[in-house]
Amino acid sequence: MLIRRVLLGGVTVCIVSLIIFAGVEMLPGDACTQFLGEYQADEELLAQCRKDLDLNRPAIDRFAEWTQGAITGDLGLAADGTTKISTIVGDRLKNSLLLAFCAMAVGIPLALLLGVVSGLWRDRLPDIIASTLAIFAMTIPEFVSATLLILVLSVWLGWLPGIVLTSAAAPASEFFPEILLPVIVLSFVMCAHIMRMVRSSVIDVMASDYVQMATLKGVPYWQMVFRHALPNALLPAINVVALTIAWLLGGVVVIEVVFNYPGLGRLMIDSISDRNLPVVQSIALIVASVYVCVNLAADLLTMIANPKLRTMYMRK
Amino acid sequence: MTVSSTSHQQEHGRFMTVMKDILARPSGLIGLTLVLFHILLALLSPSIAPYDFKLQNSSLMLSPPSSEHWLGADHLGRDILSRTLMGGREALLVTGIATPLAVIWGGFIGILFGLVGGRVDEVLMRIVDAFLSLPWILKMLVLIVTFGTGIGVLIPTLTFFYGIPVIRVARAATHDIIARDFVWAAKARGHSRISIIWRELLPNVLDTLMVEGAMRWSWMLLAFSSLSFLGFGVSPPIPDWGLMISDARGFMSFAPWGVIAPVIGLSSLIIGINLSADALAKALGIDRAQKAPM
Amino acid sequence: MPQSPFIDIKNLSVGYTSRSGKTIPVLRDVNLSITRGDSIGLVGESGSGKSTLALAAMGYFKRGLHVISGQVQFDGIDMLNIERNALQRLRGGRLALIPQNSGQSLTPNLRIGQQITEALRLHSDLPATSFDAGVIDLLSQVRLPDPVGLTDRYPHELSGGQQQRVAIAMALASNPEALLLDEPTTGLDVTTQAHIMELLRDLAKDRNLAMLYVSHDLGAIARVCNKVMVMYAGETVLTGSAKQVLLSPRHPYAHGLLASIPRLNETSLPQALDGRPPMPSETIMGCAFADRCKLADRTCYSSSPPLNHLETGEAVRCFHHDQIGQLNQKTEKSARSNPVAADKDTALSLANLAVSYSRPRLLSKLFALQDTPPSTVDRITIDIKKGETLGLVGESGSGKSTILKTIAGMVPAQSGNIILNQTEPLDTMVEKRPAAYLRQVQIIFQNPDDSLNPRHTVAQILAQPLRLYYGLSGTPLRDRSIAILEQVRLGEHYLERLPSQLSGGEKQRVAIARAFAADPEIILCDEVTSALDVSVQAAVLDLLDVLKRQDGTTYIFVSHDLAVVKAISDRVAVLYQGRICEIGPVAAVYSAPFHPYTDALLGAVLEPDPDVAPRLKADDAVELSPPNLGCPFQRRCPRKLGSICETNIPTAQEIAPGHIIHCHISQVDL
Ligand SMILES: Nc1ncnc2c1ncn2[C@@H]1O[C@H](COP(=O)(O)OP(=O)(O)OP(=O)(O)O)[C@@H](O)[C@H]1O
Ligand code: SF4
Ligand code: SF4
Ligand SMILES: [Mg+2]
């Protein structure tokens, strides 16, 4: 079963790479028409360029080469034909990871806490406040909340820097305190989904027969919550947390644009606008692999944390 | 003797029952009112907007709210009130067409493959997974940059990509329903496949799809306005909230009214849709919070 | 000297607030007192407030429910105004609960050992070092095999009976003085149930416990209780000693309830108690039972009867309790339809039918591994005559439903034949059967909630077969639908209802109506009464019998309840692990000589009569798959002969014409 999951994940990544490659192939124009711009009418130049960039070989061959490279970490060259993609992407990936980890460190514990609190105090003041906030966080577009926060915290109060001016290659430590506002916005947005999920799962578990039984067995309230209710209520949250993490690592384009943060998301937009397709392909592959891996990790974690699943695979 | 308080009541159609249930909840009442308000506004705004939305007046540039221009003017001196009133038209038009189309094609494929099952279904799900693993903005931007912005590109693109998660949902709902005894009973009676799908399966899957549709709508609006914000959605000078916010952001420190009006317009619409979706899900007995965004 | 009451509930009313803001009572002015050594049975239909009352004794109310008025005392302690710590000490301490569904009441992420240790830690004065020994001691007290190994298991790794025993062990951890039991054996197999009842009986006697036993199963109550309280619509309607209530009930409701229970020692159908109890939200004027009462008169509808305390010690809420004798005369037992003559044609033959759910795995296919498990169902050969009712009984997992599904073409047979009307072989796949055959075989499922499409009105549900088989539409369709509804005793106004607007019994009637709409030759009934209350069950059984007499339909009736099968069947087949153990006319199967398994099953049935004790033969182990060789019952058989039972399939012995027993024990010794 475990092996099956891993294999399925692998299959998904393969299909993604196929989709990415085929998608780019099917688009009108290629790297050369783009590179040459208005000179592309010149047949000779075009042919020369295609020869230089190896575009004349059958797509299958190039796909095989591309995937081979990707597996060994060599993502090839960008559309200008000189820069190595791995160097461009590397810095951005580091910055995106930095942002994602900061947001996770704030958002996930907060979301779990809020979810549990509003589930336990269902329909009472803490729940009403948290649930209303969650609705706002889920519905208001990120660029709106980001814009409003900049307006209040940066423009009016002047507490935090509103945009990031640090260059992409700078070490992680130099991103403080500029990173704080984007982290606040991201945690706010990601918090909402996880919190709602946890809340509804806590409510279900608190109404379950085994929680009633624990109460009637005389287990003190908090002991009941921590021993009997929460371990079961938090299980289904694993998958939502995974989806959120995948979303965070997948480049949070809008936020990065609003705060001028040099992460993968902005690189993606810039590359798409410049039609720097090799870079787009590489980013897509990285992000998709992260998605698959995080979800795989969530499945495995669920399997380990859920005694039903665990015993199913261990005791047989 | 017993006097029944429920059974003698007049029977209502299911639509009425669900509608009543939605309106009986505060979230449903507020949500539906907001949505209706925005739809009406989109229809009527060209005639009620006080000024022409593209009329530029350089003397008014970034002027604060006044008695003539209630919400002030933007960086090109255009009346913000008029632009805000009309700023949702494009978004509502595009998502209003793309959402039902996405639910229909995603629902159709999902039900079909849920019924077929087996290897074919396995393969399809991997492809769906693969599509879901790519960030939405990348998928959409590649197409938009290649084929250009405008309704003609946005509607098909949104329809296509937002139909894919629907496949998953429809397929899961189909699996749930076809395992139930009433479907077995219909099979054992010897009804045709079509009749079983049409009579037994569809009415039950439709509930799920309706909630799904309401949720997709709000996510699609989020996506649409984000695209506009990034400059890949509506082309100027057509007013659009996302674009207006993006434009006004630069002058936020001294002309915040340019940001605030479209923010209120956009947020109230999306909140309205979300509240309605919540109430609809509750009225139909589906737990919405258990659904994760994709 | 009369003991002071240990659990004392006085004038308790409990209710919830409806969406419109009204307070709706679910318990109305209930009094209950239990002294040490007493065990009181609490009976009533689903929704009558039994569980609410039992939980109230622990000072616990489900979310949404609140006390309207009244008092709850435990050994003089006011349970409604008690400090939280003290309440926690009492709950699971001096006062312990054994819940309705242990499978769901044990915390899924904690091992059995951890859960019992928790009870010991909270409520016993054992030192921490001897918890492990304490757990093992408790598990062996409830007669669980391999207690040491069990402590490491998770709840889902135990069978239903084992889970129930663990719940009992957990309740005993604190040495409680009072036990509350909420339907502790509902949903368990007869043999398991009988074993657990014996265990509880012994415990109560040994420890002089005060017990409150909630159940709708009067057989179980008869076994463990010395007093009984009957509830109806949130009120006490009758209390008395177990003998008084169960043998000569003084209240029309209790009388009807007892008459609706099918019994092993009777051949007639039980008597139906028509109607349904009022919903808590309905306004009740007069006696709550008046709509269903045969003794009701004008007074009953205008004023509510008080609870009368009689000299005999009973308390009855009825104006006319002295006329109860009339009920026995008014209702002559409805005679069963006559057994079918043996010369009738065969309606359906099953010839050597075998079904297997396990598909060879890819790996074993590739390497040609020969580890295919034995078939789930095997060697089923039965001829069913036209107009006959064949009962199929057996414990859960014995393959009863599988056989029905195979006949209906929903599960493919592995081998063997299904032959309709002597000559027409049915394909194993329903898709390949011609329409004419499909009409002739209809199926009714166990749970009407699942077998009726929640989005179809009754009219739409009935229209399905009528359109399909008879091409009806318009007025003829409607007229026919109404006629069929009337046959199942539902009025025309039901046509526009959705299943969610029907009670459980009404839903099952609609399901029956749908089957009969096809005018079939054969109807397959899969546990059709198991999801229903006893009183409703009797009505459904009666309906099935009437319809059969009218139309001469053939039934195959599957149930785990031996008394129900006995009441409705002409012939019975007893199944164990998908193999027939014994088959024959009802009278023959339900009397000696028995197959050892039939004997064990019948012995375990609990009769609603305090004077009848069950005879426990086989143990209640649960088997997951049949043995590869020999007799299917070999692992549990108390009379097993030896290795012959493990290697050879028992031969069919014809004890009397048509009565066949599959066992190696010779005919004379059986
Ligand atoms: N939390 C609750 N909120 C509102 N009503 C409730 C609640 N719990 C139970 N009820 C109602 O109270 C009545 C009595 O319920 P209770 O569970 O005590 O019945 P019961 O006799 O134990 O039934 P069963 O045999 O099905 O277990 C029912 O009508 C039920 O619908
Ligand atoms: S009071 Fe009347 S209606 Fe009620 S049970 Fe007695 S006789 Fe029947
Ligand atoms: S064949 Fe043997 S094991 Fe089977 S029932 Fe008879 S005696 Fe028991
Ligand atoms: Mg109950």
Side-chain angles (χ1 to χ4, degrees), chain C residues 46-47 49-52 62 100 182-183 214:
Chain C
S46 183
K50 309 180 295 280
S51 305
T52 309
K62 288 212 169 118
Q100 178 152 11
D182 190 357
E183 313 238 14
V214 176

Side-chain angles (χ1 to χ4, degrees), chain C residues 248-261:
Chain C
S248 55
R250 295 289 274 271
H251 188 279
Y253 169 65
H255 187 275
L257 195 62
L258 276 154
S260 68
I261 301 174

Side-chain angles (χ1 to χ4, degrees), chain B residues 150-169:
Chain B
I151 295 188
V153 176
L154 280 173
I155 292 182
T157 312
L158 284 167
T159 303
F160 178 69
F161 288 119
Y162 276 78
I164 288 174
V166 179
I167 296 182
R168 236 201 201 173
V169 173

Side-chain angles (χ1 to χ4, degrees), chain C residues 15-16 26-27 44-53 62-65 100 182-183 214 216 279-280 533:
Chain C
Y16 63 93
V26 297
L27 280 185
E45 273 164 297
S46 183
S48 57
K50 309 180 295 280
S51 305
T52 309
L53 181 58
K62 288 212 169 118
R63 197 189 150 85
L65 294 177
Q100 178 152 11
D182 190 357
E183 313 238 14
V214 176
H216 62 255
M279 303 286 290
D533 261 319

Side-chain angles (χ1 to χ4, degrees), chain C residues 84 94 160 289 303 350 378 385 482 607:
Chain C
R84 187 150 144 182
R94 298 178 64 193
F289 187 60
S303 49
L350 307 179
D378 202 4
K385 301 253 177 281
I482 294 172
E607 293 268 13

Side-chain angles (χ1 to χ4, degrees), chain A residues 135-136 139-140, chain B residues 19 22-23 25-43 85 88 92 217 221 241 263-277:
Chain A
I135 291 253
F136 278 99
T139 50
I140 298 180
Chain B
M19 215 49 199
I22 291 177
L23 291 177
R25 299 167 192 278
S27 64
L29 189 65
I30 300 174
L32 269 191
T33 315
L34 280 174
V35 173
L36 272 183
F37 170 77
H38 274 286
I39 291 177
L40 276 181
L41 197 65
L43 293 175
L85 288 178
L92 273 174
W217 190 17
L221 261 169
W241 294 322
V263 160
I264 291 175
L266 181 56
S267 306
S268 63
L269 175 58
I270 299 183
I271 288 179
I273 295 177
N274 253 281
L275 290 177
S276 314

Side-chain angles (χ1 to χ4, degrees), chain C residues 1-8 33-39 75 208-210 226-227:
Chain C
M1 187 194 83
Q3 273 183 303
S4 67
F6 199 48
I7 296 176
D8 197 12
S33 59
I34 310 175
T35 53
R36 268 175 226 266
D38 243 357
S39 68
D75 200 15
N208 197 31
L209 295 171
N226 56 357
K227 288 188 190 159

